[in-house]
Amino acid sequence: ELGEFAHHMRKEYWEQPASAARALKGRLEERFGTARLDGLNLDARAKRAIRRVKILGCGSSYYVGQMGAQMIEELARIPADAEPASEFRYRNPIIDPETLYVAVSQSGETADTLFAIDEIKRKGGQVVGLVNVVGSSIARACDGGIYLHAGPEVAVASTKALTNMALSFGLLALDLGRIRDLSIADAKRIIDGLQAIPGQIDEILRQEDRIAEVAKPLSASASLFFVGRVRGFPVAREGAQKFKEVSYCHAEAYQSSELKHGPLALISAQLPTVAIVPDDELVQRNVGALHEIAARGGPLVAITHAGVDLSGLTAERIDVPKNEVELDPILLTIPTQLLAYHAALALGHDIDKPRNLAKSVTVE
Ligand code: M6R
């Protein structure tokens, strides 16, 4: 079933142009500039009554949740944040009837996420799920939700399911935004952006040979940083997570804005940094952080856009196609999947079944 692919991880990231298209299929209402998400089981009045959004998931599903919180805040202007479900369930959380709780899970069987849902429901809260596996325990426990339609995911390192989670958050943000203050013009901009994503993922995957070359020297490092800020920070966190999982190199994500408050002390020729540098309103500040790293001899890889000027810096650059600023994180994440895979391949690791990890964590 692997066909031309040596590993499920690579097969699954190559499936993304098709699987991403499935996440959007039948869910965009171009005429009204909104998303159609009947499975949420929320009418306009219930959606309008939402005062906060709290997103819960574990591992990478939590990092995508951070991406989703940002999309909801930007497009719907509802305060939103993400928290690891594994922490939330143990801290006697305050459950608020005006908060929409969103549980995020590929497998739908992650024990920590399931118990967090139980805690919310016991206290009378409302939970919707972003879940891949149809009929799974989490899907059944939620009051409604959005199925990801990513198809079966076998590799422990999640790729296509995460992309569909991020796209589903884009749809949710659009839906919640359009019953508030998101203009139809902005909504159409987002709809066009979402529709462009499957093709743009394909463009990134076609750069695989070059990304593999960039990955090889990274695999030789004992430790590396992934940095980004604001929209780019969840991308950096997910990039570091993927790199750790399959290459076993220590990878730490940091906000580029925080480097000068401590971690710059670690920068040296032995510690490469993968920087997420979107072409947005923070680009000059991001490029400034790269200069700080370069001045201390730190090797740099920039995942960026063609319009970003990195002159005066010695950096490997990986350019991704430009989308709308709110959606760019979805595309900026794709090269991090390829970097992790090719670093692990260079090291000869068991990529689909990394040591100490299980695909679905059904124990506490
Ligand atoms: O099935 P889930 O999405 O609930 O799984 C959550 C995490 O265990 C999962 O995302 C984990 O971090 C992956 N191995 C990431 O690649």
Side-chain angles (χ1 to χ4, degrees):
E1 93 209 75
L2 272 169
E4 62 187 285
F5 299 101
H7 299 97
H8 286 282
M9 183 180 174
R10 181 161 182 263
K11 174 170 180 275
E12 287 162 6
Y13 67 61
W14 270 98
E15 283 170 355
Q16 290 176 114
S19 59
R22 285 199 300 276
L24 302 174
K25 194 161 180 264
R27 287 174 166 167
L28 289 169
E29 295 252 33
E30 290 190 62
R31 210 169 130 220
F32 303 109
T34 191
R36 192 191 166 115
L37 299 169
D38 297 337
L40 289 176
N41 296 331
L42 296 170
D43 62 18
R45 193 169 298 184
K47 286 178 193 161
R48 189 69 216 202
I50 298 165
R51 293 276 162 269
R52 294 194 80 85
V53 177
K54 178 90 185 173
I55 299 163
L56 299 160
C58 294
S60 293
S61 297
Y62 156 58
Y63 301 136
V64 182
Q66 286 198 310
M67 230 180 253
Q70 199 131 358
M71 290 182 201
I72 291 167
E73 288 211 341
E74 285 201 80
L75 297 174
R77 303 304 291 160
I78 304 173
D81 75 318
E83 182 177 337
S86 49
E87 289 282 284
F88 178 87
R89 57 173 290 216
Y90 285 109
R91 63 172 183 81
N92 192 17
I94 298 164
I95 302 303
D96 164 24
E98 294 184 324
T99 295
L100 178 69
Y101 294 88
V102 183
V104 191
S105 178
Q106 186 288 127
S107 62
E109 301 299 341
T110 300
D112 284 320
T113 310
L114 190 57
F115 284 116
I117 298 168
D118 289 346
E119 179 76 9
I120 298 163
K121 295 204 72 178
R122 193 170 29 252
K123 295 179 175 174
Q126 167 165 249
V127 196
V128 297
L130 263 58
V131 178
N132 196 36
V133 177
V134 175
S136 55
S137 305
I138 291 176
R140 283 183 280 119
C142 290
D143 301 303
I146 306 174
Y147 274 123
L148 304 177
H149 298 310
E153 197 179 64
V154 176
V156 166
S158 183
T159 54
K160 59 178 181 166
L162 300 179
T163 299
N164 281 18
M165 286 170 192
L167 286 164
S168 302
F169 274 119
L171 294 169
L172 181 62
L174 187 61
D175 183 19
L176 296 177
R178 281 292 291 142
I179 54 168
R180 289 181 170 73
D181 296 329
L182 186 70
S183 70
I184 194 146
D186 268 332
K188 290 206 159 129
R189 179 175 70 75
I190 296 298
I191 289 180
D192 289 346
L194 287 168
Q195 282 173 329
I197 284 178
Q200 290 181 315
I201 294 177
D202 193 61
E203 285 178 50
I204 300 170
L205 294 172
R206 288 182 192 288
Q207 299 182 51
E208 181 162 31
D209 289 347
R210 181 164 140 61
I211 297 175
E213 284 309 309
V214 176
K216 269 183 215 148
L218 296 183
S219 72
S221 324
S223 185
L224 56 156
F225 271 146
F226 279 73
V227 300
R229 64 198 295 157
V230 190
R231 298 185 198 100
F233 184 53
V235 179
R237 295 192 87 183
E238 168 50 21
Q241 159 94 343
K242 200 101 302 153
F243 212 89
K244 277 188 281 234
E245 277 190 287
V246 295
S247 80
Y248 314 151
C249 300
H250 169 248
E252 185 175 352
Y254 236 95
Q255 291 96 337
S256 20
S257 50
E258 281 283 299
L259 283 174
K260 58 183 173 301
H261 297 293
L264 264 188
L266 284 173
I267 299 292
S268 74
Q270 281 68 50
L271 190 122
T273 298
V274 179
I276 312 302
V277 192
D279 192 358
D280 64 9
E281 67 280 8
L282 292 169
V283 66
Q284 288 316 322
R285 291 181 182 278
N286 268 320
V287 173
L290 299 196
H291 280 282
E292 295 288 321
I293 294 167
R296 287 155 184 87
L300 284 168
V301 173
I303 301 179
T304 186
H305 292 122
V308 174
D309 179 8
L310 298 183
S311 51
L313 280 168
T314 309
E316 291 284 359
R317 67 184 292 161
I318 299 167
D319 288 341
V320 304
K322 185 78 185 77
N323 199 293
E324 299 300 324
V325 284
E326 300 89 340
L327 303 176
D328 279 331
I330 304 175
L331 294 164
L332 290 159
T333 306
I334 307 294
T336 69
Q337 304 171 345
L338 279 64
L339 285 176
Y341 175 84
H342 285 284
L345 192 68
L347 294 165
H349 292 163
D350 185 355
I351 296 181
D352 286 335
K353 287 195 174 51
R355 67 184 185 205
N356 309 337
L357 299 177
K359 178 66 181 160
S360 149
V361 186
T362 54
V363 291
E364 292 186 53

